[in-house]
Amino acid sequence: MRAFLAPLLGLLLLGGCSGMEPAPHCDMGRVSSQRDLVPGPAMIPGEPSPLKEMPLNSASIIDANIINKVHVRAITARRTATGTVEVVAQVVNCTDFPLNAEARTQFYDGALSPSEPASAWRRLALPARAVTGYHEFSIGAQTVEHYLIEMRETR
Amino acid sequence: MRRTHAAIAVIVAGLSLAACQQVDNTAGAPTVYIDPATSGPVKGVGIESQDIVGMTDQMMRDMLSQPRLTNAATPPSVIIDSEYFHNESSSRLNKNTITDRLRIGLNRAAAGRMQFVGRHYADMVAKERELKRQGTVDRGGLPAARAQKGGDYRLGGRITSLDSRDPRSGAMQRYSQIVFEMIDLETSEIVWSGIYEFAKSAQDDIIYR
């Protein structure tokens, strides 16, 4: 009985430590099956997307090197006096070492289409165990409804 | 007889070696396009393409959020060129790369919220106006203007740097600071300011041309 319990416990522990994959999560099997069915890149109406959707108005850490090192604590957005949108994110460096990361923001309109080009990558020096702010302004004013922040390690 | 054999052996060996020296008929390293917004394989401590893309994008977005610049009842006329944008740093670069990208990005994004004056084309415009008024050419399709457009605001700025080198290791470090300011051309008031700064270190600096 004990001989069975030990490996079972080990497996459970390993499951708890499973690594986090950075976004986007693409089911390539489903992508290829949809390519067979439609002539163009458009999705088939009514079919579930092969892409695990990334929620808008959030931050997506797209780099496996830092996904288990940083945490985006809070994100807020506000309209400026000119109607553009400012997003502010607080990034926590959970390690005992300084990190260099960079982030950019893609703004979307009400139809969930990109309303403007994504911002340039903005560098963030993340001191060890500290919170660092990231902010970005949109170009457009009333067309902007949503945003998605992407973050990666600076190389 | 022995000498003759030795001479023949040397000649044969020489011929064999000559036969080995052929053209290396293979393709060279291909030109690789890289994303100008990301650092490439050749990197030093100076201002590079990703810095120019980053700083101009940041300044453009910041200016568009300023009511005085982009929310006025009458859109202000703005001059953005390198005339008053000075490079006092140890980085060798063409200042126009920064001011041109900033002007074009702003002009495309402003969508009428600001108007842009091409003061660096003033000479070109003056020549054409002169030809029209002399009757050398016709007046064109658009109505004539009394004078060229004047500017309400003009970009000024400065690039400065601080270099340090470790004589033992040869490691080099450079702090670069780029300041952007928008000046009221009637009162000299600074109506908007932006700063972009970074420090880089490397074992050996590269050559910027």
Side-chain angles (χ1 to χ4, degrees), chain A residues 80-84 102 104-105 107 116-123 135-141 152 154-155, chain B residues 35 37-39 43 50-51 53-54 57-58 60-62 64-68 70-71 109-110 113 196-198:
Chain A
T80 66
T82 61
T84 60
E102 54 192 13
R104 70 174 187 178
T105 305
F107 292 93
E116 59 191 48
S119 72
W121 291 101
R122 192 188 281 252
R123 278 189 313 279
H135 77 105
E136 193 57 88
F137 291 105
S138 71
I139 295 172
R152 67 183 184 186
T154 306
R155 294 194 181 88
Chain B
D35 178 6
T38 304
S39 62
K43 44 195 157 199
Q50 71 274 13
D51 300 311
V53 171
D57 187 77
Q58 196 172 311
M60 174 188 73
R61 289 169 187 272
D62 197 56
L64 290 172
S65 69
Q66 300 301 314
R68 194 157 174 184
T70 57
N71 221 14
R113 288 177 280 180
Y196 186 90
E197 60 185 350
F198 60 86

Side-chain angles (χ1 to χ4, degrees), chain A residues 7-78:
Chain A
L8 193 66
L9 194 64
L11 277 174
L12 282 172
L13 283 172
L14 275 175
C17 296
S18 60
M20 200 187 296
E21 280 289 310
H25 292 170
C26 299
D27 181 348
M28 294 315 291
R30 209 182 286 169
V31 167
S32 58
S33 71
Q34 291 200 356
R35 277 185 192 139
D36 291 338
L37 291 168
V38 292
M43 277 174 48
I44 309 163
E47 281 281 312
S49 169
L51 175 73
K52 196 179 278 184
E53 282 303 330
M54 293 170 287
L56 292 180
N57 306 334
S58 68
S60 172
I61 298 166
I62 60 170
D63 190 339
N65 286 334
I66 56 165
I67 196 163
N68 288 320
K69 293 181 176 178
V70 299
H71 168 61
V72 181
R73 179 185 171 206
I75 307 172
T76 53
R78 67 177 186 95

Side-chain angles (χ1 to χ4, degrees), chain B residues 93-203:
Chain B
L93 87 159
N94 186 340
K95 300 176 295 178
N96 289 328
T97 318
I98 297 173
T99 53
D100 286 355
R101 193 175 195 281
L102 181 59
R103 183 181 61 254
I104 289 163
L106 260 178
N107 199 356
R108 291 176 62 85
R113 288 177 280 180
M114 285 191 267
Q115 293 185 337
F116 294 84
V117 177
R119 183 52 45 78
H120 51 302
Y121 296 127
D123 184 46
M124 175 178 79
V125 177
K127 279 181 187 166
E128 188 66 15
R129 285 170 61 88
E130 184 64 25
L131 287 174
K132 284 177 182 173
R133 278 147 187 79
Q134 283 172 351
T136 312
V137 298
D138 70 13
R139 304 195 69 81
L142 295 173
R146 200 162 46 82
Q148 290 195 42
K149 204 174 186 60
D152 296 313
Y153 302 126
R154 186 164 194 163
L155 180 83
R158 191 176 293 150
I159 308 169
T160 51
S161 65
L162 179 66
D163 286 20
S164 49
R165 185 183 280 276
D166 184 336
R168 285 169 299 177
S169 66
M172 188 170 178
Q173 183 174 315
R174 182 175 299 165
Y175 166 69
S176 297
Q177 185 188 77
I178 303 103
V179 168
F180 298 82
E181 288 173 317
M182 199 62 88
I183 317 298
D184 185 319
L185 290 174
E186 286 291 332
T187 64
S188 75
E189 182 190 359
I190 299 172
V191 297
W192 170 87
S193 297
I195 187 168
Y196 186 90
E197 60 185 350
F198 60 86
K200 291 185 193 175
S201 70
Q203 190 60 34

Side-chain angles (χ1 to χ4, degrees), chain A residues 99-146:
Chain A
L99 292 172
N100 281 314
E102 54 192 13
R104 70 174 187 178
T105 305
Q106 175 70 67
F107 292 93
Y108 296 87
D109 61 18
L112 306 185
S113 295
S115 57
E116 59 191 48
S119 72
W121 291 101
R122 192 188 281 252
R123 278 189 313 279
L124 302 170
L126 307 173
R129 299 267 166 200
V131 182
T132 305
Y134 162 76
H135 77 105
E136 193 57 88
F137 291 105
S138 71
I139 295 172
Q142 301 310 322
T143 54
V144 177
E145 293 288 333
H146 308 282

